[in-house]
Amino acid sequence: MSTDPAPRQATGGPRIEATEVAAPLVVTTEPAGETLRLRLAGELDMSTAAELLERIADLAAGGSPRVVVDLTALTFCDSAGLTTFVRGDRRCAEAGGWLRLTGAHGHVARVIEISGVGDSLLYRPS
């Protein structure tokens, strides 16, 4: 029986530490008539929300303030993601446009429904 409180690391190899790996957020932009469609895939949370808001703000400032966000491939969204949608809508409105959500299902649709964000952003399931 060993008296060591923790197992020892084998010598000679790299040290491996437990890390938490989040699914990346993939954002694809597509023209859709007078609007732009942002297709989100992956997870929208506090680690990816700022990147999305920056992308939306750049589109609005660059003359594309009408944005439809397609959530079909989004697998997770937390309060930071919901806040990003509301802030993105404000940025678009400041430039004379709007932000709309569409295509959510499962967990993401439920979060949008419970939060009431869908009401303010005129959410359309499809």
Side-chain angles (χ1 to χ4, degrees), residues 32-49:
E34 294 184 11
T35 65
L36 279 177
R37 179 177 299 269
L38 291 183
R39 292 186 186 273
L40 306 187
E43 297 185 359
L44 179 56
D45 58 21
M46 64 184 280
S47 68
T48 57

Side-chain angles (χ1 to χ4, degrees), residues 10-96:
T11 58
R15 180 166 177 79
I16 300 173
E17 295 183 23
T19 60
E20 206 171 296
V21 178
L25 178 67
V26 177
V27 182
T28 307
T29 307
E30 301 172 356
E34 294 184 11
T35 65
L36 279 177
R37 179 177 299 269
L38 291 183
R39 292 186 186 273
L40 306 187
E43 297 185 359
L44 179 56
D45 58 21
M46 64 184 280
S47 68
T48 57
E51 173 188 339
L52 178 60
L53 182 58
E54 184 177 331
R55 182 92 167 253
I56 293 167
D58 288 347
L59 291 172
S64 299
R66 294 180 182 167
V67 179
V68 174
V69 182
D70 185 338
L71 307 174
T72 304
L74 193 66
T75 58
F76 179 81
C77 181
D78 66 6
S79 61
L82 296 175
T83 300
T84 298
F85 296 143
V86 172
R87 288 182 177 165
D89 183 52
R90 286 186 190 146
R91 298 283 175 91
C92 290
E94 290 168 0

